[in-house]
């Protein structure tokens, strides 16, 4: 954990020199006796860069000298923060007695130029200083210059305090640190800006590691996971700011009327959640923090409140809660958008070695409800990347399937060179070795390049709109024969058919002509393409009689009177899907795969059928940055 904390460590020069840490995008937290009073200028050094800033909020200076009064904390706003800089995860949790804590800061005790030093302390309990709670640290040295530096709780993977003072220089007597929760004693407006920026950042950015899931609570009562806390805080940061006077009553609504009021002021919903969870797992049915979140979802409105409600529904399933326990706090269920739920899997070539691929996965429940299934993998050889994706799928499909409904879709976002992989034939369930992914779930391919190239979106959207607005006769479909591989000619054919929204390839992508058609069709925005992996017919239009469905439209046909196998495939496939609403094609293809399985090998036109079904509205969240 010291690595991520050191990435966020800064040197602060204000009233004096000391340390601090990047606590949110554009914000630094340090000691007030280091930064100085509110409004004062500050210079921040981070990874060789000098950054200007000003003190946004700070404890007042002492009236008659001596140590600065509680909490001796300051919030510094950077004037031109570096784009994409990391931010530390901090929390209000009090450590356990004797727990190991690591302090990090800058010190010039051993060299002329300050350098990063770490010290490993044992938490020796609380001490009240100037009316506020402090942490006593022992068994290592607090060296000059560490003031304002972060104190990391290795058990929770978060910053729990800020170094304030040493008990005695050059000894292992340690010193005092201020809990980060004491930031609530500063100016409420500055604190809200800091905490909302922090929580929104960590809801999506996964660079700071999460702690392992804690052990069971007494009697097995449910509790939120560390990742669940981050997601909840991010959702609460997106709803409108609470009325200052309404948070204490909200605390008592969840904690009970006889619970002692918190010692620190309440400014944000996350403060209420933290105080509720500090009371312990006294409620046998629902985590108290979840009760407060449900109350917020009941009274708030807008898209942020709807996202919060969806997340609470999901947590209820994950934690095994009885929906009746949350019913008094939740609003009436709102109709969810009629979008298919899916697991999105992205296989992306490495920029360093294109033969290796990173694997990322998300659970998609709507445009505002996309949850990462874990960290994106390192670049792996293709076989290892495919195995990682296959092994992750069962758990994610089960999570989405708990609420019932239609089978969960699997969307594979891959480069064109992987589109011949037999994803639909995967058998990911170890106890059901006969069960294929494509028969149990709708499995579709999507083009990776379209996610990375905004220029393609206008063509993609236009043809998708035509596809979904198709008449009762179904969307316009065409068959691409194998007698043309000139990409300029292919583009001319496709662009001359602006209404065409679905394309059927005459054979497998292993045939050069089909590969060329696919590349041009994707660049022209064709959103739906079908083919068979096993079909290697060299189906040239010159060998068969004219086909009214194929491209080019004016193909003169040949002298033979045989029936074109590609046209037969196309005709049967069109008969299967033309009566199906366009957005139900993935489910229809799943059913066809099932029929093909009970037909003798090669006897059904849907054998090895591949569906590229690319809905431009189903986007991935913005990718988080990662440590290099």
């Amino acid at each position: 954990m010291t690595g991520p904390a050191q990435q966020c460590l800064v040197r602060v020069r204000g009233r004096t020199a000391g340390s601090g840490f990047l606590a949110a995008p554009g914000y630094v937290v340090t000691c007030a006796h280091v930064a100085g009073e509110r409004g004062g200028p500050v210079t921040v050094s981070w990874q060789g860069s000098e950054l200007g800033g000003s003190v946004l909020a700070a404890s007042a200076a002492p009236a008659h000298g001596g140590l600065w009064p509680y909490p001796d904390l300051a919030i510094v706003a950077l004037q031109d923060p570096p784009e994409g800089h990391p931010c530390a995860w901090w929390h209000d949790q009090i450590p356990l007695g004797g727990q190991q804590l690591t302090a990090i800061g800058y010190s010039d005790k051993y060299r002329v130029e300050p350098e990063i030093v770490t010290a490993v302390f044992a938490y020796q309990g609380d001490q009240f200083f100037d009316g506020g709670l402090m942490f006593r640290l022992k068994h290592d040295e607090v060296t000059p210059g560490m003031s304002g530096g972060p104190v990391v709780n290795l058990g929770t993977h978060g910053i729990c305090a800020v170094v304030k003072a040493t008990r005695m220089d050059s000894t292992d007597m340690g010193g005092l640190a201020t809990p980060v929760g004491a930031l609530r004693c500063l100016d409420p407006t500055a604190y809200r800006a800091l905490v909302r920026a922090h929580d929104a950042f960590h809801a999506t950015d996964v660079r700071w590691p999460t702690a392992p899931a804690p052990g069971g609570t007494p009697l097995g009562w449910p509790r939120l996971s560390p990742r669940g806390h981050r997601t909840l805080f991010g959702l609460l940061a997106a709803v409108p700011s609470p009325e200052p006077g309404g948070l204490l009553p909200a605390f008592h609504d969840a904690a009970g009327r006889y619970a002692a009021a918190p010692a620190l002021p309440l400014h944000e919903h996350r403060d209420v959640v933290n105080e509720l969870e500090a009371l312990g797992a006294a409620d046998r049915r629902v985590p108290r923090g979840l009760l407060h979140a449900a109350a917020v979802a009941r009274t708030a409105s807008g898209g942020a409140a709807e996202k919060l409600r969806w997340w609470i529904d999901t947590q209820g399933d994950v934690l095994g809660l009885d929906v009746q326990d949350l019913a008094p706090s939740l609003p009436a269920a709102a109709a969810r958008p009629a979008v298919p739920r899916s697991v999105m899997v992205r296989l992306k070539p490495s920029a360093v070695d294109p033969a290796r691929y990173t694997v990322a996965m998300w659970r998609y429940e709507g445009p505002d409800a996309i949850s990462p299934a874990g960290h994106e993998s390192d670049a792996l050889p293709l076989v290892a990347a495919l195995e990682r994706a296959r092994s992750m799928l069962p758990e994610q499909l089960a999570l989405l399937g708990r609420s019932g409904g239609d089978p969960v879709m699997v969307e594979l976002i891959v480069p064109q060179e992987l589109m011949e992989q037999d994803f639909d034939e995967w058998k990911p369930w170890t106890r059901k070795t006969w069960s294929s992914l494509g028969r149990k779930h709708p499995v579709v391919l999507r083009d990776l390049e379209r996610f990375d190239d905004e220029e393609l979106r206008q063509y993609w959207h236009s043809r998708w709109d035509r596809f979904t607005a198709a008449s009762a006769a179904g969307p316009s479909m065409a068959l691409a024969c194998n007698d043309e591989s000139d990409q300029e000619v292919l583009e001319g054919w496709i662009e001359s058919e602006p209404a065409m929204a679905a394309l059927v390839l005459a054979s497998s992508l292993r045939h050069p002509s089909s590969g060329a058609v696919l590349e041009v069709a994707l660049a022209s925005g064709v959103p739906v393409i079908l083919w068979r992996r096993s079909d290697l017919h060299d189906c040239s239009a010159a060998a068969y009689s004219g086909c009214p469905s194929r491209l080019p439209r004016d193909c003169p046909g040949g002298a033979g009177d045989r029936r074109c196998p590609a046209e037969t495939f196309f005709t049967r496939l069109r008969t299967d899907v033309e009566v199906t609403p366009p957005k139900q094609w993935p489910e229809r293809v799943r059913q066809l795969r099932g029929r093909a399985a009970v037909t003798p090998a090669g006897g059904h036109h849907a054998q090895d059928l591949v569906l590229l079904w690319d809905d431009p509205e189903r986007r991935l969240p913005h990718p988080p940055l990662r440590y290099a």
Side-chain angles (χ1 to χ4, degrees):
M1 279 308 303
T2 57
Q6 287 184 12
Q7 290 282 337
C8 300
L9 183 69
V10 300
R11 187 166 183 250
V12 179
R13 298 191 300 280
R15 173 182 171 274
T16 186
S19 305
F21 60 93
L22 294 162
Y27 293 98
V28 166
V29 166
T30 183
C31 281
H33 78 260
V34 173
E37 297 186 72
R38 181 177 178 178
V42 173
T43 300
V44 173
S45 301
W46 179 67
Q47 297 190 354
S49 300
E50 298 290 312
L51 309 171
S54 60
V55 180
L56 189 64
S59 305
H64 305 291
L67 293 177
W68 279 48
Y70 191 83
D72 189 13
L73 293 175
I75 301 172
V76 174
L78 299 176
Q79 294 169 353
D80 189 16
E83 184 176 354
H85 70 73
C87 299
W89 167 256
W90 43 271
H91 60 78
D92 295 4
Q93 187 171 334
I94 305 296
L96 300 174
Q99 190 162 356
Q100 187 180 94
L101 304 177
T102 300
I104 306 173
Y106 281 92
S107 178
D108 58 2
K109 180 172 182 176
Y110 304 107
R111 294 184 182 275
V112 175
E113 286 297 320
E115 59 185 0
I116 297 176
V117 296
T118 62
V120 179
F121 298 98
Y123 172 60
Q124 293 295 302
D126 309 333
Q127 177 172 326
F128 280 86
F129 173 83
D130 198 26
L133 182 72
M134 306 290 290
F135 293 168
R136 287 191 292 121
L137 311 178
K138 290 188 70 176
H139 302 326
D140 207 336
E141 181 183 7
V142 176
T143 58
M146 293 183 73
S147 289
V151 178
V152 182
N153 185 332
L154 300 180
T156 61
H157 286 202
I159 291 174
C160 63
V162 178
V163 176
K164 174 180 172 66
T166 181
R167 294 184 67 188
M168 183 177 292
D169 194 18
S170 301
T171 73
D172 65 355
M173 295 177 65
L176 295 178
T178 306
V180 290
L183 286 165
R184 286 152 55 182
C185 296
L186 301 183
D187 175 69
T189 301
Y191 171 77
R192 289 192 191 102
L194 172 73
V195 78
R196 287 192 164 232
H198 169 273
D199 290 348
F201 176 87
H202 284 288
T204 57
D205 192 289
V206 297
R207 284 179 285 178
W208 189 279
T210 53
T217 57
L219 302 182
W221 296 328
R223 68 198 304 180
L224 295 176
S225 67
R227 171 51 62 185
H229 276 104
R230 294 196 192 184
T231 303
L232 173 58
F233 289 159
L235 292 168
L236 291 174
V239 302
S241 295
E243 292 293 331
L247 290 176
L248 186 57
F251 167 82
H252 283 293
D253 285 344
R257 60 185 299 184
Y258 298 112
L264 296 172
L266 301 172
H267 301 305
E268 273 292 346
H269 292 301
R270 69 120 60 187
D271 302 338
V272 177
V273 173
N274 283 330
E275 292 289 349
L276 289 169
E277 301 211 338
L279 297 176
D283 193 308
R284 303 186 183 188
R285 298 169 303 172
V286 183
R288 286 192 177 106
L290 201 59
L291 280 177
H292 176 68
V296 174
R298 182 189 64 209
T299 57
S301 60
E306 182 64 13
K307 291 183 198 177
L308 179 60
R309 194 190 68 80
W310 285 4
W311 181 83
I312 293 169
D313 284 345
T314 302
Q315 286 300 301
D317 291 339
V318 170
L319 297 175
L321 303 178
D322 187 339
V323 70
Q324 298 303 317
D325 295 333
L326 284 170
S329 297
L330 283 172
R336 296 192 183 189
V339 296
R341 298 162 301 153
S342 73
V343 176
M344 290 181 163
V345 184
R346 185 182 68 193
L347 294 163
K348 188 172 184 177
S350 166
V352 177
D353 181 0
R356 301 173 73 91
Y357 296 83
T358 60
V359 181
M361 194 173 290
W362 297 264
R363 295 187 301 276
Y364 185 97
E365 298 180 81
D368 297 323
I370 308 174
S371 306
H375 300 297
E376 184 172 9
S377 75
D378 295 328
L380 303 170
L382 177 59
V383 172
L386 293 174
E387 178 56 33
R388 178 180 174 87
R390 182 165 44 235
S391 64
M392 292 174 65
L393 272 171
E395 179 182 4
Q396 304 307 315
L397 291 168
L399 285 172
L400 287 177
R402 287 178 177 177
S403 57
D406 294 332
V408 175
M409 184 163 62
V410 178
E411 301 180 73
L412 291 135
I413 303 164
V414 298
Q416 293 176 32
E417 68 264 21
L418 297 186
M419 290 187 177
E420 278 287 285
Q421 290 289 329
D422 58 347
F423 298 111
D424 55 289
E425 289 296 327
W426 279 3
K427 296 177 172 62
W429 298 280
T430 56
R431 296 169 58 185
K432 296 182 292 183
T433 56
W434 68 88
S435 185
S436 79
L437 186 66
R439 291 195 295 270
K440 297 290 288 185
H441 295 271
V443 175
V444 301
L445 299 186
R446 302 192 62 184
D447 180 32
L448 175 65
E449 186 178 356
R450 282 175 170 166
F451 285 82
D452 297 332
D453 189 345
E454 286 295 323
E455 185 180 351
L456 298 178
R457 285 193 62 79
Q458 57 178 317
Y459 316 117
W460 182 16
H461 258 289
S462 176
R463 289 189 188 267
W464 179 262
D465 289 342
R466 294 189 181 100
F467 175 68
T468 55
S471 66
S476 175
M477 298 175 63
L479 170 65
C481 288
N482 284 346
D483 57 345
E484 184 58 72
S485 59
D486 185 304
Q487 292 179 311
E488 289 192 29
V489 174
L490 290 169
E491 183 183 52
W493 289 343
I494 293 174
E495 294 299 337
S496 67
E497 301 281 346
M500 186 184 66
L503 187 64
V504 177
L505 305 183
S507 67
S508 163
L509 296 184
R510 286 174 284 175
H511 192 288
S513 180
S514 289
V517 174
L518 177 74
E519 185 176 0
V520 174
L522 292 174
S524 298
V526 177
V528 179
I529 306 175
L530 302 102
W531 68 93
R532 294 199 301 180
R533 285 191 310 276
S534 58
D535 197 339
L536 292 175
H537 293 296
D538 188 9
C539 181
S540 171
Y544 300 97
S545 58
C547 168
S549 304
R550 69 186 167 205
L551 290 175
R553 296 295 191 197
D554 57 354
C555 178
D561 58 0
R562 294 173 294 158
R563 181 71 180 267
C564 170
E567 183 188 357
T568 301
F569 166 54
F570 173 82
T571 303
R572 292 175 177 174
L573 188 61
R574 182 171 59 182
T575 301
D576 282 327
V577 299
E578 65 184 357
V579 295
T580 304
K583 290 193 176 183
Q584 292 296 316
W585 278 30
E587 171 60 17
R588 182 58 176 157
V589 168
R590 182 189 73 83
Q591 297 168 4
L592 291 174
R593 288 176 179 139
R595 292 183 183 179
V598 299
T599 304
H604 195 283
H605 58 278
Q607 185 76 37
D608 298 324
L609 182 62
V610 181
L611 170 63
L612 184 143
W613 187 83
D614 219 350
D615 181 349
E617 297 299 332
R618 299 174 69 86
R619 305 294 303 276
L620 293 175
H622 293 298
L625 299 172
R626 301 179 65 191
Y627 289 127

